mmCIF file of all heavy atoms in Angstrom:
data_model
loop_
_atom_site.group_PDB
_atom_site.id
_atom_site.type_symbol
_atom_site.label_atom_id
_atom_site.label_comp_id
_atom_site.label_asym_id
_atom_site.label_seq_id
_atom_site.Cartn_x
_atom_site.Cartn_y
_atom_site.Cartn_z
ATOM 1 N N ARG A 751 114.551 91.211 75.624
ATOM 2 C CA ARG A 751 115.930 91.307 75.123
ATOM 3 C C ARG A 751 116.946 90.435 75.955
ATOM 4 O O ARG A 751 117.833 89.927 75.396
ATOM 5 C CB ARG A 751 116.412 92.756 75.242
ATOM 6 C CG ARG A 751 115.544 93.732 74.525
ATOM 7 C CD ARG A 751 115.970 94.235 73.159
ATOM 8 N NE ARG A 751 117.392 94.238 72.898
ATOM 9 C CZ ARG A 751 118.037 95.359 72.724
ATOM 10 N NH1 ARG A 751 117.589 96.520 72.993
ATOM 11 N NH2 ARG A 751 119.325 95.198 72.368
ATOM 12 N N ASP A 752 116.764 90.309 77.278
ATOM 13 C CA ASP A 752 117.718 89.595 78.115
ATOM 14 C C ASP A 752 117.174 88.197 78.489
ATOM 15 O O ASP A 752 115.989 88.059 78.895
ATOM 16 C CB ASP A 752 117.942 90.357 79.407
ATOM 17 C CG ASP A 752 118.637 91.680 79.133
ATOM 18 O OD1 ASP A 752 119.362 91.846 78.151
ATOM 19 O OD2 ASP A 752 118.451 92.594 80.047
ATOM 20 N N LEU A 753 117.996 87.164 78.342
ATOM 21 C CA LEU A 753 117.562 85.836 78.637
ATOM 22 C C LEU A 753 118.174 85.351 79.918
ATOM 23 O O LEU A 753 118.030 84.225 80.221
ATOM 24 C CB LEU A 753 117.913 84.892 77.543
ATOM 25 C CG LEU A 753 117.325 85.305 76.119
ATOM 26 C CD1 LEU A 753 117.839 84.255 75.035
ATOM 27 C CD2 LEU A 753 115.761 85.217 76.179
ATOM 28 N N TYR A 754 118.855 86.226 80.614
ATOM 29 C CA TYR A 754 119.542 85.848 81.802
ATOM 30 C C TYR A 754 119.601 86.889 82.873
ATOM 31 O O TYR A 754 119.363 88.058 82.539
ATOM 32 C CB TYR A 754 121.064 85.508 81.442
ATOM 33 C CG TYR A 754 121.649 86.513 80.524
ATOM 34 C CD1 TYR A 754 122.094 87.677 81.007
ATOM 35 C CD2 TYR A 754 121.671 86.303 79.170
ATOM 36 C CE1 TYR A 754 122.594 88.653 80.224
ATOM 37 C CE2 TYR A 754 122.161 87.296 78.300
ATOM 38 C CZ TYR A 754 122.659 88.448 78.827
ATOM 39 O OH TYR A 754 123.117 89.401 78.005
ATOM 40 N N VAL A 755 119.843 86.500 84.075
ATOM 41 C CA VAL A 755 119.944 87.471 85.173
ATOM 42 C C VAL A 755 121.295 87.148 85.891
ATOM 43 O O VAL A 755 121.568 85.934 86.173
ATOM 44 C CB VAL A 755 118.733 87.386 86.169
ATOM 45 C CG1 VAL A 755 118.987 88.184 87.444
ATOM 46 C CG2 VAL A 755 117.447 87.720 85.555
ATOM 47 N N VAL A 756 122.022 88.122 86.137
ATOM 48 C CA VAL A 756 123.359 87.953 86.896
ATOM 49 C C VAL A 756 123.211 88.704 88.207
ATOM 50 O O VAL A 756 122.545 89.740 88.337
ATOM 51 C CB VAL A 756 124.498 88.537 86.076
ATOM 52 C CG1 VAL A 756 125.831 88.479 86.846
ATOM 53 C CG2 VAL A 756 124.668 87.856 84.786
ATOM 54 N N CYS A 757 123.713 88.116 89.263
ATOM 55 C CA CYS A 757 123.537 88.697 90.641
ATOM 56 C C CYS A 757 124.814 88.624 91.394
ATOM 57 O O CYS A 757 125.808 87.917 91.004
ATOM 58 C CB CYS A 757 122.400 88.058 91.347
ATOM 59 S SG CYS A 757 122.634 86.261 91.633
ATOM 60 N N GLY A 758 124.820 89.356 92.510
ATOM 61 C CA GLY A 758 125.936 89.374 93.410
ATOM 62 C C GLY A 758 125.533 89.744 94.786
ATOM 63 O O GLY A 758 124.487 90.357 94.972
ATOM 64 N N LYS A 759 126.245 89.187 95.858
ATOM 65 C CA LYS A 759 125.882 89.452 97.197
ATOM 66 C C LYS A 759 127.005 89.757 98.038
ATOM 67 O O LYS A 759 128.121 89.453 97.683
ATOM 68 C CB LYS A 759 125.030 88.278 97.781
ATOM 69 C CG LYS A 759 125.961 87.036 98.000
ATOM 70 C CD LYS A 759 125.152 86.031 98.716
ATOM 71 C CE LYS A 759 126.120 84.862 99.194
ATOM 72 N NZ LYS A 759 126.385 83.808 98.386
ATOM 73 N N ALA A 760 126.800 90.378 99.131
ATOM 74 C CA ALA A 760 127.847 90.658 100.164
ATOM 75 C C ALA A 760 127.146 90.484 101.522
ATOM 76 O O ALA A 760 126.115 91.047 101.700
ATOM 77 C CB ALA A 760 128.399 92.026 100.032
ATOM 78 N N LEU A 761 127.667 89.683 102.329
ATOM 79 C CA LEU A 761 127.074 89.312 103.625
ATOM 80 C C LEU A 761 127.958 89.755 104.830
ATOM 81 O O LEU A 761 129.205 89.601 104.769
ATOM 82 C CB LEU A 761 126.847 87.884 103.756
ATOM 83 C CG LEU A 761 125.994 87.194 102.622
ATOM 84 C CD1 LEU A 761 125.875 85.715 102.757
ATOM 85 C CD2 LEU A 761 124.660 87.893 102.581
ATOM 86 N N ASN A 762 127.341 90.407 105.794
ATOM 87 C CA ASN A 762 127.970 90.795 107.094
ATOM 88 C C ASN A 762 129.236 91.587 106.888
ATOM 89 O O ASN A 762 130.294 91.289 107.387
ATOM 90 C CB ASN A 762 128.275 89.437 107.853
ATOM 91 C CG ASN A 762 126.986 88.710 108.129
ATOM 92 O OD1 ASN A 762 125.972 89.273 108.442
ATOM 93 N ND2 ASN A 762 127.121 87.359 108.047
#
Side-chain angles (χ1 to χ4, degrees):
R751 308 256 334 252
D752 296 333
L753 300 175
Y754 44 80
V755 173
V756 177
C757 60
K759 71 175 191 270
L761 305 176
N762 302 319

